[in-house]
mmCIF file of all heavy atoms in Angstrom:
data_model
loop_
_atom_site.group_PDB
_atom_site.id
_atom_site.type_symbol
_atom_site.label_atom_id
_atom_site.label_comp_id
_atom_site.label_asym_id
_atom_site.label_seq_id
_atom_site.Cartn_x
_atom_site.Cartn_y
_atom_site.Cartn_z
ATOM 1 N N PHE A 25 26.894 25.392 -73.122
ATOM 2 C CA PHE A 25 27.334 24.710 -74.395
ATOM 3 C C PHE A 25 26.180 24.634 -75.406
ATOM 4 O O PHE A 25 26.435 24.861 -76.640
ATOM 5 C CB PHE A 25 27.577 23.153 -74.027
ATOM 6 C CG PHE A 25 27.898 22.301 -75.125
ATOM 7 C CD1 PHE A 25 28.853 22.539 -75.890
ATOM 8 C CD2 PHE A 25 27.032 21.158 -75.320
ATOM 9 C CE1 PHE A 25 29.345 21.663 -77.009
ATOM 10 C CE2 PHE A 25 27.449 20.237 -76.339
ATOM 11 C CZ PHE A 25 28.476 20.544 -77.107
ATOM 12 N N GLY A 26 25.011 24.615 -74.996
ATOM 13 C CA GLY A 26 23.744 24.515 -75.836
ATOM 14 C C GLY A 26 23.589 25.901 -76.689
ATOM 15 O O GLY A 26 23.049 26.015 -77.739
ATOM 16 N N GLN A 27 23.996 26.964 -75.857
ATOM 17 C CA GLN A 27 23.871 28.372 -76.483
ATOM 18 C C GLN A 27 25.104 28.732 -77.385
ATOM 19 O O GLN A 27 24.934 29.517 -78.289
ATOM 20 C CB GLN A 27 23.676 29.355 -75.489
ATOM 21 C CG GLN A 27 22.574 29.329 -74.565
ATOM 22 C CD GLN A 27 22.650 30.288 -73.380
ATOM 23 O OE1 GLN A 27 23.652 30.344 -72.748
ATOM 24 N NE2 GLN A 27 21.602 30.891 -73.100
ATOM 25 N N CYS A 28 26.145 28.061 -77.184
ATOM 26 C CA CYS A 28 27.370 28.374 -77.828
ATOM 27 C C CYS A 28 27.856 27.454 -78.869
ATOM 28 O O CYS A 28 27.430 27.634 -80.118
ATOM 29 C CB CYS A 28 28.475 28.474 -76.646
ATOM 30 S SG CYS A 28 30.040 29.313 -77.257
ATOM 31 N N CYS A 29 28.610 26.395 -78.536
ATOM 32 C CA CYS A 29 29.222 25.590 -79.512
ATOM 33 C C CYS A 29 28.471 24.427 -80.069
ATOM 34 O O CYS A 29 28.596 23.870 -81.076
ATOM 35 C CB CYS A 29 30.613 25.179 -79.074
ATOM 36 S SG CYS A 29 31.791 26.429 -78.863
ATOM 37 N N ALA A 30 27.489 24.022 -79.127
ATOM 38 C CA ALA A 30 26.646 22.795 -79.577
ATOM 39 C C ALA A 30 26.061 22.794 -80.946
ATOM 40 O O ALA A 30 26.069 21.933 -81.864
ATOM 41 C CB ALA A 30 25.680 22.370 -78.579
ATOM 42 N N PRO A 31 25.368 23.964 -81.271
ATOM 43 C CA PRO A 31 24.601 24.100 -82.545
ATOM 44 C C PRO A 31 25.591 24.001 -83.794
ATOM 45 O O PRO A 31 25.190 23.445 -84.831
ATOM 46 C CB PRO A 31 23.939 25.419 -82.562
ATOM 47 C CG PRO A 31 23.840 25.762 -81.137
ATOM 48 C CD PRO A 31 25.065 25.153 -80.422
ATOM 49 N N PHE A 32 26.879 24.294 -83.603
ATOM 50 C CA PHE A 32 27.844 24.220 -84.671
ATOM 51 C C PHE A 32 28.348 22.798 -84.651
ATOM 52 O O PHE A 32 28.429 22.200 -85.946
ATOM 53 C CB PHE A 32 29.030 25.184 -84.413
ATOM 54 C CG PHE A 32 28.669 26.620 -84.293
ATOM 55 C CD1 PHE A 32 29.161 27.387 -83.192
ATOM 56 C CD2 PHE A 32 27.713 27.156 -85.142
ATOM 57 C CE1 PHE A 32 28.710 28.656 -83.056
ATOM 58 C CE2 PHE A 32 27.403 28.620 -85.085
ATOM 59 C CZ PHE A 32 27.903 29.199 -83.958
ATOM 60 N N ILE A 33 28.599 22.208 -83.600
ATOM 61 C CA ILE A 33 29.150 20.867 -83.568
ATOM 62 C C ILE A 33 28.157 19.764 -84.112
ATOM 63 O O ILE A 33 28.432 18.935 -84.865
ATOM 64 C CB ILE A 33 29.789 20.471 -82.233
ATOM 65 C CG1 ILE A 33 30.841 21.339 -81.926
ATOM 66 C CG2 ILE A 33 30.072 18.962 -82.154
ATOM 67 C CD1 ILE A 33 31.567 21.188 -80.511
ATOM 68 N N THR A 34 26.841 19.958 -83.839
ATOM 69 C CA THR A 34 25.901 19.245 -84.224
ATOM 70 C C THR A 34 25.291 19.314 -85.651
ATOM 71 O O THR A 34 24.605 18.625 -86.229
ATOM 72 C CB THR A 34 24.642 19.207 -83.268
ATOM 73 O OG1 THR A 34 24.007 20.609 -83.361
ATOM 74 C CG2 THR A 34 24.890 18.837 -81.849
ATOM 75 N N GLY A 35 25.789 20.522 -86.255
ATOM 76 C CA GLY A 35 25.442 20.767 -87.616
ATOM 77 C C GLY A 35 24.189 21.685 -87.820
ATOM 78 O O GLY A 35 23.674 21.864 -88.806
ATOM 79 N N GLU A 36 23.540 21.994 -86.666
ATOM 80 C CA GLU A 36 22.318 22.831 -86.550
ATOM 81 C C GLU A 36 22.476 24.228 -87.226
ATOM 82 O O GLU A 36 21.525 24.738 -87.828
ATOM 83 C CB GLU A 36 21.677 22.886 -85.185
ATOM 84 C CG GLU A 36 21.213 21.505 -84.706
ATOM 85 C CD GLU A 36 20.685 21.730 -83.419
ATOM 86 O OE1 GLU A 36 20.270 22.739 -82.861
ATOM 87 O OE2 GLU A 36 20.808 20.629 -82.528
ATOM 88 N N GLN A 37 23.667 24.636 -86.930
ATOM 89 C CA GLN A 37 24.019 25.964 -87.442
ATOM 90 C C GLN A 37 25.544 25.979 -88.060
ATOM 91 O O GLN A 37 26.284 25.087 -87.731
ATOM 92 C CB GLN A 37 24.066 26.957 -86.306
ATOM 93 C CG GLN A 37 22.717 27.270 -85.767
ATOM 94 C CD GLN A 37 22.831 28.372 -84.566
ATOM 95 O OE1 GLN A 37 23.702 29.088 -84.456
ATOM 96 N NE2 GLN A 37 21.716 28.359 -83.748
ATOM 97 N N ILE A 38 25.806 27.037 -88.705
ATOM 98 C CA ILE A 38 27.144 27.146 -89.312
ATOM 99 C C ILE A 38 27.719 28.320 -88.775
ATOM 100 O O ILE A 38 27.072 29.431 -88.644
ATOM 101 C CB ILE A 38 27.023 27.287 -90.839
ATOM 102 C CG1 ILE A 38 26.420 26.102 -91.620
ATOM 103 C CG2 ILE A 38 28.387 27.642 -91.569
ATOM 104 C CD1 ILE A 38 26.040 26.336 -93.020
ATOM 105 N N PRO A 39 29.059 28.239 -88.197
ATOM 106 C CA PRO A 39 29.731 29.445 -87.673
ATOM 107 C C PRO A 39 29.680 30.485 -88.572
ATOM 108 O O PRO A 39 30.052 30.397 -89.827
ATOM 109 C CB PRO A 39 31.058 28.948 -87.388
ATOM 110 C CG PRO A 39 30.899 27.355 -87.210
ATOM 111 C CD PRO A 39 29.839 27.049 -88.142
ATOM 112 N N GLU A 40 29.274 31.774 -88.208
ATOM 113 C CA GLU A 40 29.354 32.896 -88.945
ATOM 114 C C GLU A 40 30.634 33.652 -89.029
ATOM 115 O O GLU A 40 30.859 34.642 -89.864
ATOM 116 C CB GLU A 40 28.118 33.844 -88.566
ATOM 117 C CG GLU A 40 26.869 33.272 -88.741
ATOM 118 C CD GLU A 40 25.695 34.117 -88.296
ATOM 119 O OE1 GLU A 40 26.024 35.298 -87.842
ATOM 120 O OE2 GLU A 40 24.568 33.575 -88.151
ATOM 121 N N THR A 41 31.565 33.337 -88.079
ATOM 122 C CA THR A 41 32.879 34.115 -88.019
ATOM 123 C C THR A 41 33.935 33.170 -87.711
ATOM 124 O O THR A 41 33.593 31.969 -87.248
ATOM 125 C CB THR A 41 32.825 35.209 -86.829
ATOM 126 O OG1 THR A 41 32.710 34.510 -85.560
ATOM 127 C CG2 THR A 41 31.750 36.168 -86.890
ATOM 128 N N PRO A 42 35.134 33.437 -87.909
ATOM 129 C CA PRO A 42 36.373 32.616 -87.657
ATOM 130 C C PRO A 42 36.347 32.462 -86.148
ATOM 131 O O PRO A 42 36.694 31.242 -85.715
ATOM 132 C CB PRO A 42 37.499 33.460 -88.181
ATOM 133 C CG PRO A 42 37.012 34.299 -89.358
ATOM 134 C CD PRO A 42 35.636 34.571 -88.781
ATOM 135 N N GLY A 43 35.960 33.426 -85.330
ATOM 136 C CA GLY A 43 36.027 33.180 -83.868
ATOM 137 C C GLY A 43 35.008 32.115 -83.397
ATOM 138 O O GLY A 43 35.388 31.353 -82.530
ATOM 139 N N GLN A 44 33.880 32.161 -83.963
ATOM 140 C CA GLN A 44 32.840 31.090 -83.634
ATOM 141 C C GLN A 44 33.382 29.726 -84.000
ATOM 142 O O GLN A 44 33.369 28.788 -83.289
ATOM 143 C CB GLN A 44 31.457 31.308 -84.418
ATOM 144 C CG GLN A 44 30.792 32.492 -83.748
ATOM 145 C CD GLN A 44 29.353 32.792 -84.464
ATOM 146 O OE1 GLN A 44 29.330 32.500 -85.690
ATOM 147 N NE2 GLN A 44 28.438 33.185 -83.751
ATOM 148 N N LEU A 45 33.973 29.564 -85.157
ATOM 149 C CA LEU A 45 34.651 28.360 -85.685
ATOM 150 C C LEU A 45 35.760 28.034 -84.690
ATOM 151 O O LEU A 45 35.802 26.843 -84.385
ATOM 152 C CB LEU A 45 35.102 28.439 -87.121
ATOM 153 C CG LEU A 45 35.653 27.281 -87.672
ATOM 154 C CD1 LEU A 45 34.656 25.952 -87.640
ATOM 155 C CD2 LEU A 45 36.053 27.352 -89.065
ATOM 156 N N MET A 46 36.625 28.888 -84.405
ATOM 157 C CA MET A 46 37.655 28.593 -83.412
ATOM 158 C C MET A 46 37.190 28.099 -82.076
ATOM 159 O O MET A 46 37.632 27.053 -81.608
ATOM 160 C CB MET A 46 38.555 29.842 -83.306
ATOM 161 C CG MET A 46 39.706 29.650 -82.357
ATOM 162 S SD MET A 46 40.900 28.548 -83.085
ATOM 163 C CE MET A 46 40.906 27.124 -81.998
ATOM 164 N N ARG A 47 36.141 28.697 -81.676
ATOM 165 C CA ARG A 47 35.669 28.308 -80.271
ATOM 166 C C ARG A 47 35.011 26.916 -80.341
ATOM 167 O O ARG A 47 35.257 26.011 -79.529
ATOM 168 C CB ARG A 47 34.546 29.247 -79.671
ATOM 169 C CG ARG A 47 35.253 30.496 -79.252
ATOM 170 C CD ARG A 47 34.101 31.386 -78.576
ATOM 171 N NE ARG A 47 34.737 32.707 -78.179
ATOM 172 C CZ ARG A 47 35.253 32.699 -76.959
ATOM 173 N NH1 ARG A 47 35.521 31.584 -76.236
ATOM 174 N NH2 ARG A 47 35.884 33.808 -76.501
ATOM 175 N N SER A 48 34.371 26.590 -81.489
ATOM 176 C CA SER A 48 33.740 25.393 -81.646
ATOM 177 C C SER A 48 34.757 24.089 -82.050
ATOM 178 O O SER A 48 34.687 23.105 -81.537
ATOM 179 C CB SER A 48 32.827 25.261 -82.767
ATOM 180 O OG SER A 48 33.233 25.655 -83.971
ATOM 181 N N ARG A 49 35.848 24.622 -82.556
ATOM 182 C CA ARG A 49 36.829 23.543 -82.776
ATOM 183 C C ARG A 49 37.504 23.280 -81.555
ATOM 184 O O ARG A 49 37.894 22.141 -81.350
ATOM 185 C CB ARG A 49 37.876 24.058 -83.846
ATOM 186 C CG ARG A 49 37.409 24.038 -85.335
ATOM 187 C CD ARG A 49 38.218 24.671 -86.229
ATOM 188 N NE ARG A 49 39.573 23.985 -86.301
ATOM 189 C CZ ARG A 49 39.980 22.945 -87.080
ATOM 190 N NH1 ARG A 49 39.030 22.338 -87.786
ATOM 191 N NH2 ARG A 49 41.186 22.550 -87.026
ATOM 192 N N TYR A 50 37.793 24.301 -80.703
ATOM 193 C CA TYR A 50 38.377 24.061 -79.355
ATOM 194 C C TYR A 50 37.559 23.136 -78.663
ATOM 195 O O TYR A 50 37.992 21.959 -77.957
ATOM 196 C CB TYR A 50 38.666 25.350 -78.562
ATOM 197 C CG TYR A 50 39.012 25.056 -77.122
ATOM 198 C CD1 TYR A 50 40.287 24.843 -76.750
ATOM 199 C CD2 TYR A 50 38.079 24.866 -76.235
ATOM 200 C CE1 TYR A 50 40.697 24.516 -75.463
ATOM 201 C CE2 TYR A 50 38.285 24.698 -74.731
ATOM 202 C CZ TYR A 50 39.715 24.436 -74.570
ATOM 203 O OH TYR A 50 39.966 24.080 -73.126
ATOM 204 N N THR A 51 36.219 23.378 -78.558
ATOM 205 C CA THR A 51 35.322 22.454 -77.935
ATOM 206 C C THR A 51 35.322 21.074 -78.497
ATOM 207 O O THR A 51 35.190 20.077 -77.697
ATOM 208 C CB THR A 51 33.911 23.121 -77.931
ATOM 209 O OG1 THR A 51 34.026 24.353 -77.211
ATOM 210 C CG2 THR A 51 32.817 22.283 -77.218
ATOM 211 N N ALA A 52 35.370 20.985 -79.734
ATOM 212 C CA ALA A 52 35.445 19.600 -80.412
ATOM 213 C C ALA A 52 36.713 18.864 -79.956
ATOM 214 O O ALA A 52 36.699 17.762 -79.716
ATOM 215 C CB ALA A 52 35.534 19.739 -81.902
ATOM 216 N N TYR A 53 37.841 19.616 -79.632
ATOM 217 C CA TYR A 53 38.992 18.893 -79.071
ATOM 218 C C TYR A 53 38.796 18.393 -77.724
ATOM 219 O O TYR A 53 39.142 17.365 -77.399
ATOM 220 C CB TYR A 53 40.256 19.870 -79.177
ATOM 221 C CG TYR A 53 41.068 19.860 -80.405
ATOM 222 C CD1 TYR A 53 41.105 20.943 -81.126
ATOM 223 C CD2 TYR A 53 41.791 18.833 -80.716
ATOM 224 C CE1 TYR A 53 41.773 20.907 -82.353
ATOM 225 C CE2 TYR A 53 42.557 18.812 -81.935
ATOM 226 C CZ TYR A 53 42.555 19.897 -82.730
ATOM 227 O OH TYR A 53 43.284 19.828 -83.895
ATOM 228 N N THR A 54 38.007 19.188 -76.913
ATOM 229 C CA THR A 54 37.688 18.723 -75.539
ATOM 230 C C THR A 54 36.819 17.459 -75.574
ATOM 231 O O THR A 54 36.853 16.691 -74.665
ATOM 232 C CB THR A 54 36.977 19.765 -74.759
ATOM 233 O OG1 THR A 54 35.583 20.044 -75.223
ATOM 234 C CG2 THR A 54 37.720 21.051 -74.653
ATOM 235 N N GLN A 55 36.062 17.281 -76.652
ATOM 236 C CA GLN A 55 35.437 16.093 -76.877
ATOM 237 C C GLN A 55 35.963 14.926 -77.750
ATOM 238 O O GLN A 55 35.443 13.820 -77.923
ATOM 239 C CB GLN A 55 33.986 16.394 -77.482
ATOM 240 C CG GLN A 55 33.180 17.415 -76.757
ATOM 241 C CD GLN A 55 31.957 17.871 -77.534
ATOM 242 O OE1 GLN A 55 31.836 17.854 -78.682
ATOM 243 N NE2 GLN A 55 30.924 18.219 -76.741
#
């Protein structure tokens, strides 16, 4: 989680691709 979606969800990084955004949005749904 720390290497993948956490940096996007916490705002530390911005997703660079739609795929990264999709993965982080799925993870946000799990939370």
